[in-house]
Amino acid sequence: MGTIRDTKYKIVKNFFSQDEVNLLKKYVVIKQRLNITEFDMKQSITKDTYFYGDPIMESFLLTKFDLMERETNLELCPTYSYWRMYTKFSDLKKHKDRPSCEISVTAMIGSDGTPWPIFIGDKEIKLNDGDAVIYLGCEVEHYRNEFQGDWHAQVFFHYVDKNGENKEWWKDKRTLWGEQKII
């Protein structure tokens, strides 16, 4: 059996259980409404809400570790989590990720129902609540077109190959889980 390196991406249906989706939807909506400091002024004209190293997402980063190793068929080291609440007119420019995002997963938490596919290379991928796509963030360009809905929440979990060239990025070079880092 090969690894994620052979296919460059892999869709995982029900990455989050229905109970996890229900909890996360409530959590992100409440957290976004209470947010007064975490706005993306660099990447987004809409000033989307984002959270690096959020404690519940860091917990899922670690909880989903075994699943990620099974799905990628690699020995991994977790680096960090990051989630966003995208709003109308958000987009995700075509890009490749930094070294701590060697093996990435984007999982859909929920939305207002407006479809918003992610493109991995030239492949359009539509995710439902709780679904995820694992991809080689440093190798494959990925992007999203402009969002036309009201809200869309995604979480990103990042890992590196334990035996690879980016292994020094374990914990994204932080000393503690859940620790904030300016990106």
Side-chain angles (χ1 to χ4, degrees):
M1 183 166 123
T3 69
I4 191 73
R5 297 199 187 290
D6 299 326
T7 58
K8 308 293 186 212
Y9 73 91
K10 180 179 187 178
I11 298 168
V12 180
K13 295 289 188 186
N14 303 308
F15 181 83
F16 288 122
S17 70
Q18 191 59 56
D19 286 343
E20 291 170 333
V21 169
N22 292 341
L23 170 87
L24 286 169
K25 274 187 190 179
K26 288 176 177 71
Y27 176 78
V28 299
V29 169
I30 291 168
K31 182 93 172 176
Q32 191 266 344
R33 287 183 181 159
L34 296 175
N35 178 46
I36 58 171
T37 59
E38 302 298 316
F39 295 99
D40 187 346
M41 307 299 226
K42 294 178 191 166
Q43 297 182 60
S44 172
I45 61 167
T46 60
K47 299 179 184 81
D48 296 331
T49 302
Y50 76 95
F51 298 92
Y52 174 101
D54 180 278
I56 196 169
M57 299 309 179
E58 295 281 272
S59 299
F60 275 111
L61 170 79
L62 300 173
T63 301
K64 298 297 181 179
F65 179 77
D66 291 342
L67 173 64
M68 286 296 295
E69 285 196 325
R70 282 193 310 275
E71 292 292 341
T72 62
N73 202 26
L74 293 171
E75 288 183 90
L76 302 174
C77 294
T79 57
Y80 74 97
S81 66
Y82 180 87
W83 74 269
R84 290 185 83 113
M85 177 70 77
Y86 294 97
T87 56
K88 191 170 179 95
F89 306 123
S90 295
D91 66 2
L92 180 63
K93 303 285 186 222
K94 189 180 286 190
H95 71 287
K96 293 181 183 176
D97 293 329
R98 60 192 181 94
S100 58
C101 307
E102 183 179 9
I103 314 297
S104 293
V105 58
T106 182
M108 184 168 171
I109 295 171
S111 75
D112 65 352
T114 304
W116 198 38
I118 185 167
F119 292 84
I120 307 288
D122 60 357
K123 176 72 174 170
E124 178 182 35
I125 298 170
K126 296 175 183 172
L127 301 174
N128 295 315
D129 295 1
D131 293 346
V133 61
I134 303 168
Y135 57 98
L136 302 180
C138 300
E139 292 183 34
V140 182
E141 286 189 321
H142 47 285
Y143 65 97
R144 290 178 186 267
N145 293 324
E146 189 175 85
F147 182 55
Q148 296 301 308
D150 184 44
W151 69 277
H152 182 101
Q154 286 289 132
V155 63
F156 308 91
F157 299 131
H158 301 290
Y159 304 84
V160 291
D161 185 333
K162 181 178 181 179
N163 303 303
E165 63 186 44
N166 296 315
K167 63 186 170 207
E168 75 273 8
W169 286 94
W170 177 64
K171 289 189 190 175
D172 206 19
K173 297 189 176 182
R174 300 171 293 166
T175 56
L176 302 171
W177 293 111
E179 181 181 12
Q180 293 297 315
K181 179 176 178 172
I182 305 299
I183 359 185

